[in-house]
Each structure stands twice: as structure tokens, then as C-alpha cells.
Amino acid sequence: SCARPPPPPRGMRTKCPGSHPCSCTPETKTTIALLYDEESENAYDIRLKLTKEVLTIQKQDVVCVGGSHQGRNRRTVTLRRQPVGGLGLSIKGGSEHNVPVVISKIFKDQAADQTGMLFVGDAVLQVSIVHVHLLRNAGDEVTITVEYLREAPAFLKLPLGSPGPSSDHSSGASSPLFDSGLHLNGNSSTTAPSSPSSPIAKDPRYEKRWLDTLSVPLSMARISRYKAGTEKLRWNAFEVLALDGVSSGILRFYTAQDGTDWLRAVSANIRELTLQNMKMANKCCSPSDQVVHMGWVNEKLQGADSSQTFRPKFLALKGPSFYVFSTPPVSTFNWVQAERTYHLCEVLFRVHKFWLTEDCWLQANLYLGLQDFDFEDQRPYCFSVVAGHGKSHVFNVELGSELAVWEKSFQRATFMEVQRTGSRTYMCSWQGEMLCFTVDFALGFTCFESKTKNVLWRFKFSQLKGSSDDGKTRVKLLFQNLDTKQIETKELEFQDLTAVLHCIHSFIAAKVASVDPGFMDSQSLARKYMYSS
């Protein structure tokens, strides 16, 4: 018997153990993992069960499945010492280590095993044997009271090797990390051997089973691999937090591959549920106000005095707007409660970091032709959204695939909005004269007088050969005259120059994509490298 059943092959979908009917479907994914307690720094054995909508945390327990004591966990068992094998069990821990006395090994076909009432992970409750060494000197018949310890630290239930009946580890100081030297399978008495322990037909029957202890709904849930309030990445571990605040706790996996597989699997289920929520929301929205994408991210806080460098945010691309929420919008009314709302044509999406290997960063600057910015965040899979007046938000996601989805979704939402609106017009001035500047998906650039509507000049997108600006309000646009082939400079002044430049970028990118749909995919560094790690 072993406290931790061997994990199933990686990626395998399994059936629930036990004799009771199981509701698992082929889409159910299970594994053995650890639940880590940061305060005590202990880890507890758990079983994870993942379905399309719920992540369930299961803990092992001993349950009575027959006899007159059904449902009771606490058991009193009488062991008769055998001439070969003794009591047939090993124990760990003790009050001298400030940990419970726990059965760490039960030897097959020996006294403890034959009772059918003792299990690895049982805590010994009888006061007279709190000091574990008293068991070694007990007589031929020992009565102990036990109860399965569902949250015993995993190290208390891990058997060390497979010591045989003749093994002797009694020398040296005992440690809670190792067997206490009490492999109680030796004959400490010269008296005649007693008959082995055996269950009576009417005695209660016990089984060790995995029982559901916590269910985390995955709809609108988020995943975090970072320790709260720090930049400390939890290797091989993550936490799932439901919309209602329920937390899975810190789930730790035995290998990096298992951790990665489960991170992707849980993320995939959350993403699928998010798509279902989007479809439901879009049934109530007009064709011009559809949700293109939404999901959780982490936003980098501004200011050096912040105690937390990143905080969770929920982003949405819907109709003409980009939304930033503190919590997901679950009703129509919630959409007007966003912390920030920006027009999609006037923001610029940038991928600026993703992880190729553990210590190799690829800097990706997609800020085409515009001023670069210096980012100091240390997390992988980061992107930024730069808005009007130079306002910038820096976000991080947990997976490279999520970064690629956000990049693609921003492009799609922006291009749809450009084609939907067709044009945008901004007030501007030059030499004291009030003008209007229009960016048109079909016509290109047009400048006209605000009062008379008299057109001063018009150029196609293809005629724009360059630009420069003072970083404040003024911009110079360089156009090539189709007749003379000469460069003409047009200088204008805008109240919000950044928004205008972003709009120009959005319209040109949408124009290129309409002519060559594969161009933007070829420029996507996030999709190109998301599987390179």
C-alpha cells in the first residue's frame, strides 16, 4: 500500500477509482498532484479532476463501506504481533517533531495488512503511543486508535524504499522526513507466537477513496503562476481563481511537463467557456457591436511606490471599443462600468516580450515607424496598448498561445472597425487656420477647410512615403506627387497627435490586410515563436 498512487501516463484521461458508479466522461482529465500551503510550507497529496466546466480538488480519505459503522473514519484496531513480520507496519513523525504519528508503510500479508482496517496515511490517535518508540516495546497484542489524516504533509506518507522484514533502521536520530526507525515488523518477544490478525465477517469494511473536497467553476476563472504581491514565479505550480472568489489553492506538479500540460488544459477549458459566454453576449448585440475577444490578463502598475507590480484585469474587444475591467462584465449594465474605454482605431497593440527559453528573451518591437518605449517588466508574454495622449498599459498573460490570440484579436477587431466606419475626421490647424483631416479607407488622406469644406489636398495611402513629429502636437507627412514624382511635405498640428498617428496606422494596416490577407500573419512574431520555448 502506498500513500500516493502512481500518476497516470501523461495526458491520459482516466476513470474514477472506487466501486461506486462514476460520472466521468471521456473529456475528464485526472492526475495526482500536491496542494501547497505557503504558510506552513507543507504540501498535501491531492487528485485533480478536470472537466469542461469544473476543476475538482479531491483528497484521500478512509471510508467505511460495510458493517455497522458506515461513514465513520476513526477506527480502533487490535494487532497481534507475528513471529515473522511483527506488527507489519512502519510509522513516521511524533510529538518530538511537532508532526502527527502517521503510518507510512504497511507490509503485505502481515498483521496490519490482514486487519483490512489500517491504511498508509492513518494518524495514530491513542495518547499512550504519541511517542512512537513505545510501540517497539509493546507486547504481543497492541490496540491502537487511528484516523486517516487527509491533510498530512506528503512527506509523512511517502514510503522510503521497500524494506523487508529483516530491515533494521532503528539506529540514529529519527526525523519527520524519514521513517522513524520503527519498522514494526520484528519479533520483540520470546513468547509463543500469536495467531495472525484477521477481520471477522461482521466487522466493518474500510476502503481508501478519493473524495471531492472543492469544486472550482472555470467560467470566467483566471490562472496565476505568480506568488501574490511579488514577481516570484511558481515553477511547476499555479492557482486557479473562480469568478466568485473560490481558489483552488496552489497546485504543484511533480514534473515541469505535467505542470505545463495542466496549465494548458485548464486554460483551454477556460477559453472554451469564454467563447460560449461571448456567443451568448453577441446574441443581444447588434452586428456592429459584437464581442471579438475577452479574457483575463495582468496589468503592470504605474508608480514605484506600488507594493504589487501586477494586478489582474479583464480586457474585452467589443464593437468599436477596447475595454479594461477590474471584474468581468456579466450583464449588459456592466459594460458601462469599465475602468477605461478606448476607441480601437486610436490605440496601438504591441508585443514586446515573450519567452523562448528559460533565460533567453526575444525583444519584439512592432511599433511600426513610431517612437519606441522602454519597458522594465520582467514577466514573459507581455504586450502593451498605447492610447491617446501617450497613455500606455502594459499587460502580461500566462501562455504564449494567449499572447498570440490577443495579437490576432486586436488586428481583427481593429480591421473590422476600420471597414465598418470607413473614415475618421480630426480637427487640426496650420498657421492659425482651422482645418479638418480625414483618414478614409477608400480614398486615403484628405485635408479641407473646416468652414467652407474646400478640399486643400488629397493623397492615397500608397503616396505616403514617410513622416516625422515633435512628440507633442506637430507632424510632417511626406507624400509623393504622382505626376512630378516629387515629395510634398504637409505639416499639421493636432490636439491629440498620438491618437491621429494610431488611426493612420490602423487604416494603413487594414488596407494592406485587405489586399494581402497573409501579410499580417507573416508579421506576427507572437504566433511565429509561441512554440519555440
Side-chain angles (χ1 to χ4, degrees), residues 362-512:
L362 176 63
Q363 300 291 339
N365 186 353
L366 301 185
Y367 206 49
L368 304 178
L370 300 178
Q371 183 179 359
D372 198 2
F373 289 85
D374 180 28
F375 294 99
E376 299 177 351
D377 53 274
Q378 298 301 313
R379 294 192 180 191
Y381 312 129
C382 288
F383 66 90
S384 63
V385 177
V386 186
H389 295 290
K391 294 179 181 178
S392 177
H393 298 268
V394 179
F395 302 105
N396 147 264
V397 290
E398 300 291 345
L399 292 170
S401 57
E402 293 179 331
L403 181 63
V405 170
W406 276 111
E407 181 186 32
K408 182 69 174 179
S409 298
F410 259 94
Q411 289 178 358
R412 180 173 167 234
T414 302
F415 296 169
M416 288 171 58
E417 176 58 18
V418 167
Q419 294 176 347
R420 217 169 18 234
T421 59
S423 66
R424 285 189 69 81
T425 299
Y426 297 90
M427 296 297 297
C428 61
S429 64
W430 180 240
Q431 294 180 344
E433 185 177 0
M434 295 302 299
L435 306 174
C436 293
F437 176 76
T438 297
V439 185
D440 189 284
F441 185 72
L443 301 177
F445 305 101
T446 302
C447 184
F448 57 91
E449 295 177 347
S450 60
K451 292 182 179 181
T452 64
K453 310 300 180 184
N454 181 43
V455 175
L456 302 178
W457 48 263
R458 176 177 287 134
F459 295 96
K460 298 179 180 179
F461 289 122
S462 59
Q463 292 179 265
L464 180 64
K465 301 304 179 182
S467 67
S468 63
D469 63 84
D470 62 359
K472 297 178 182 179
T473 60
R474 294 187 179 186
V475 62
K476 291 182 179 180
L477 301 175
L478 308 179
F479 298 101
Q480 184 179 47
N481 188 296
L482 294 179
D483 297 325
T484 65
K485 306 301 180 183
Q486 298 297 312
I487 297 296
E488 298 183 16
T489 300
K490 304 298 182 182
E491 190 167 352
L492 298 171
E493 187 170 352
F494 296 90
Q495 185 177 3
D496 187 356
L497 178 60
T498 304
V500 177
L501 294 178
H502 291 172
C503 182
I504 293 174
H505 175 272
S506 297
F507 272 72
I508 292 179
K511 192 70 174 181
V512 172

Side-chain angles (χ1 to χ4, degrees), residues 317-394:
L317 304 173
K318 182 175 183 286
S321 302
F322 164 57
Y323 296 86
V324 181
F325 296 93
S326 57
T327 58
V330 295
S331 68
T332 304
F333 178 72
N334 293 145
W335 286 97
V336 299
Q337 297 178 314
E339 291 184 352
R340 296 284 188 276
T341 304
Y342 300 104
H343 197 285
L344 272 171
C345 291
E346 296 180 350
V347 300
L348 194 71
F349 177 92
R350 300 180 61 210
V351 174
H352 57 90
K353 267 188 183 177
F354 41 90
W355 224 343
L356 295 184
T357 60
E358 288 185 3
D359 56 358
C360 176
W361 293 98
L362 176 63
Q363 300 291 339
N365 186 353
L366 301 185
Y367 206 49
L368 304 178
L370 300 178
Q371 183 179 359
D372 198 2
F373 289 85
D374 180 28
F375 294 99
E376 299 177 351
D377 53 274
Q378 298 301 313
R379 294 192 180 191
Y381 312 129
C382 288
F383 66 90
S384 63
V385 177
V386 186
H389 295 290
K391 294 179 181 178
S392 177
H393 298 268
V394 179

Side-chain angles (χ1 to χ4, degrees), residues 101-298:
V101 177
V102 174
I103 296 176
S104 60
K105 190 172 183 67
I106 292 179
F107 295 88
K108 185 175 177 60
D109 296 329
Q110 295 185 17
D113 185 41
Q114 290 173 355
T115 68
M117 296 177 66
L118 296 176
F119 299 86
V120 171
D122 278 341
V124 181
L125 304 180
Q126 187 174 332
V127 176
S128 62
I129 54 172
V130 168
H131 296 287
V132 294
H133 291 280
L134 296 179
L135 271 175
R136 177 176 292 280
N137 301 319
D140 290 330
E141 187 172 284
V142 178
T143 300
I144 60 175
T145 300
V146 298
E147 184 172 8
Y148 190 77
L149 200 59
R150 296 173 68 178
E151 294 190 353
F155 66 77
L156 283 177
K157 296 186 286 185
L158 286 173
L160 290 179
S162 302
S166 60
S167 299
D168 185 4
H169 299 268
S170 60
S171 61
S174 61
S175 165
L177 292 175
F178 302 96
D179 282 322
S180 304
L182 297 180
H183 304 290
L184 306 177
N185 53 355
N187 185 13
S188 63
S189 173
T190 57
T191 60
S194 305
S195 60
S197 305
S198 60
I200 303 174
K202 294 183 180 180
D203 285 347
R205 291 184 298 107
Y206 291 88
E207 289 182 3
K208 184 186 286 187
R209 292 182 177 176
W210 289 104
L211 303 179
D212 294 354
T213 59
L214 178 67
S215 294
V216 182
L218 297 179
S219 179
M220 298 291 193
R222 66 181 179 90
I223 296 176
S224 175
R225 293 191 297 156
Y226 289 85
K227 186 175 181 180
T230 72
E231 288 305 289
K232 184 178 180 181
L233 179 68
R234 299 187 181 108
W235 292 102
N236 299 344
F238 60 83
E239 180 181 10
V240 183
L241 299 104
L243 180 61
D244 60 4
V246 173
S247 169
S248 67
I250 301 168
L251 308 177
R252 179 176 286 180
F253 298 84
Y254 288 100
T255 68
Q257 187 61 53
D258 284 342
T260 300
D261 289 347
W262 271 80
L263 177 65
R264 289 175 176 169
V266 176
S267 297
N269 287 17
I270 293 174
R271 183 167 57 251
E272 183 62 30
L273 292 172
T274 301
L275 289 174
Q276 294 179 17
N277 290 329
M278 287 168 49
K279 291 179 180 178
M280 292 289 292
N282 285 338
K283 290 181 179 180
C284 305
C285 300
S286 66
S288 62
D289 200 30
Q290 297 283 293
V291 180
V292 175
H293 186 57
M294 61 184 185
W296 283 103
V297 299
N298 300 299

